[in-house]
């Protein structure tokens, strides 16, 4: 049976250029040692260090020579070739007579990168100026990409001030958006656009977890699922969760990993894994080995 390993990172890394790298010395672990625990077992420890060697670096450009930067909110490689890169902010520079002449900010959703490293711009299916930073994507077996993103209230793009109006689901086939659906709006709180969990697929089901602001200092988590072409959500009571991540276990179904804030209750640890058995509850609590704030939990199948 696969094991689910829990990790949390202490900082995030921006990706500026199109990089090619080789990784050795680890499998499914973070490049920085951090707390981890196996679900249903007693083992706790630290991930082994990885060695990452950069072997090439080049500026991302379109076929017509425009340079592109896309904040890597979502990176999804298709088994049929091509890599979807989506995020905000994004920039597209125009060029005339060999000189950069203008820049367009947040004019697209991202770029589709070919095996040769060329970028094809991906248009946003809504006003690109309203797309929030929490874009998530999943490459599908049919060669398309499933994408979930937030539509912000106009005028709330500043970091920390984002206010979500809607959550959207779309399917991009490499040329166009073949499907666009609005997710149900929770009445129990306001969805945060960033950072959502990974978009996870299992069979014909898609799932995404999003933190909800209920009252100042209080929050919950909404788990959205798409089955038989319809979206629904359920509330998972995590009043002190700062970050949430999602994975799937053959034995336990969907799993949620949470990083809890400093205001957590006395029986909460900084890291925990939750399963629905039969109601949502923490099945593993992990004490932090380092006295620093943790971010971005992940669950990795090993």
């Amino acid at each position: 049976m696969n094991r689910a390993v829990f990790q949390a990172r202490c900082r995030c890394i921006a990706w500026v250029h199109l990089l090619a790298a080789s990784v050795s010395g680890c499998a499914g672990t973070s490049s920085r040692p951090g707390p981890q625990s196996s679900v249903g077992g007693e083992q706790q420890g630290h991930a082994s260090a990885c060695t990452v060697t950069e072997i090439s670096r080049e500026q991302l450009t379109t076929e017509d020579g425009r340079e592109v930067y896309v904040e890597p909110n979502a990176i999804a490689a298709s088994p049929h070739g091509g890599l979807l890169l989506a995020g905000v902010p994004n920039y597209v520079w125009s060029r005339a007579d060999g000189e950069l002449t203008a820049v367009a900010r947040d004019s697209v959703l991202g770029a589709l990168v070919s095996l040769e490293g060329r970028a094809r711009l991906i248009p946003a299916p809504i006003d690109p100026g309203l797309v929030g930073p929490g874009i998530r994507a999943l490459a599908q077996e049919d060669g398309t990409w499933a994408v979930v993103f937030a539509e912000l209230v106009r005028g709330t793009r500043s970091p920390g001030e984002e206010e979500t109006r809607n959550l959207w689901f779309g399917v991009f086939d490499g040329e166009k958006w073949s499907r666009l659906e609005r997710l149900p709006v929770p009445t129990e709180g306001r969805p945060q656009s960033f950072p959502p969990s990974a978009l996870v697929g299992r069979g014909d089901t898609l799932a995404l977890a999003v933190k909800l602001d209920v009252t100042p200092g209080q929050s919950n988590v909404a788990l959205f699922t798409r089955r038989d072409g319809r979206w629904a959500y359920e509330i998972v009571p995590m009043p002190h969760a700062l970050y949430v991540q999602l994975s799937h276990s053959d034995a336990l179904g969907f799993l949620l990993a949470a990083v809890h804030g400093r205001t957590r209750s006395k029986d909460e640890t900084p890291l925990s894994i939750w399963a629905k058995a039969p109601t949502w509850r923490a099945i593993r609590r992990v004490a932090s080995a380092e006295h620093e704030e943790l971010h971005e939990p992940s669950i990795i199948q090993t």
Side-chain angles (χ1 to χ4, degrees), residues 165-222:
R165 181 187 299 276
N166 291 301
L167 294 172
W168 292 92
F169 163 75
V171 175
F172 187 70
D173 64 8
E175 298 284 345
K176 64 183 184 304
W177 293 95
S178 60
R179 182 182 298 274
L180 185 63
E181 302 170 358
R182 182 160 40 196
L183 276 65
V185 178
T187 59
E188 295 84 354
R190 179 171 59 88
Q192 286 193 358
S193 64
F194 185 82
S197 75
L199 179 61
V200 176
R202 189 67 175 179
D204 61 354
T205 300
L206 291 173
L208 178 89
V210 176
K211 182 181 171 184
L212 295 180
D213 287 334
V214 180
T215 59
Q218 292 292 317
S219 62
N220 272 323
V221 172

Side-chain angles (χ1 to χ4, degrees), residues 8-232:
R9 297 192 301 177
C10 299
R11 59 175 61 90
C12 53
I13 301 172
W15 186 42
V16 179
H17 293 78
L18 183 64
L19 302 178
S22 62
V23 181
S24 62
C26 63
T29 59
S30 171
S31 59
R32 171 174 179 155
Q36 67 172 336
S37 171
S38 58
V39 174
E42 298 300 326
Q43 180 180 0
Q44 296 187 20
H46 290 82
S48 59
C50 301
T51 300
V52 180
T53 303
E54 181 182 327
I55 58 177
S56 69
R57 177 189 293 249
E58 56 184 287
Q59 178 65 48
L60 196 61
T61 59
T62 62
E63 291 289 348
D64 57 7
R66 288 178 291 171
E67 294 184 0
V68 180
Y69 172 83
V70 178
E71 186 73 10
N73 296 158
I75 303 174
S78 171
H80 302 278
L83 181 146
L84 183 141
L85 174 63
V88 293
N90 57 71
Y91 302 89
V92 180
W93 285 268
S94 299
R95 185 180 292 274
D97 298 326
E99 299 292 332
L100 295 177
T101 57
V103 58
R105 172 170 175 162
D106 297 338
S107 60
V108 296
L109 191 85
L112 188 62
V113 185
S114 69
L115 295 176
E116 294 75 28
R118 289 295 184 180
R120 178 190 306 161
L121 299 179
I122 300 174
I126 65 169
D127 182 346
L130 298 180
V131 175
I135 303 172
R136 294 295 182 260
L138 178 68
Q140 304 189 100
E141 293 182 358
D142 61 359
T144 64
W145 285 266
V147 183
V148 174
F149 60 93
E151 174 191 358
L152 301 181
V153 174
R154 192 174 299 277
T156 64
R157 287 292 298 271
S158 300
E161 298 180 1
E162 299 97 338
E163 184 176 342
T164 303
R165 181 187 299 276
N166 291 301
L167 294 172
W168 292 92
F169 163 75
V171 175
F172 187 70
D173 64 8
E175 298 284 345
K176 64 183 184 304
W177 293 95
S178 60
R179 182 182 298 274
L180 185 63
E181 302 170 358
R182 182 160 40 196
L183 276 65
V185 178
T187 59
E188 295 84 354
R190 179 171 59 88
Q192 286 193 358
S193 64
F194 185 82
S197 75
L199 179 61
V200 176
R202 189 67 175 179
D204 61 354
T205 300
L206 291 173
L208 178 89
V210 176
K211 182 181 171 184
L212 295 180
D213 287 334
V214 180
T215 59
Q218 292 292 317
S219 62
N220 272 323
V221 172
L223 176 62
F224 292 89
T225 53
R226 185 180 189 270
R227 295 185 177 93
D228 300 323
R230 299 187 63 179
W231 284 96

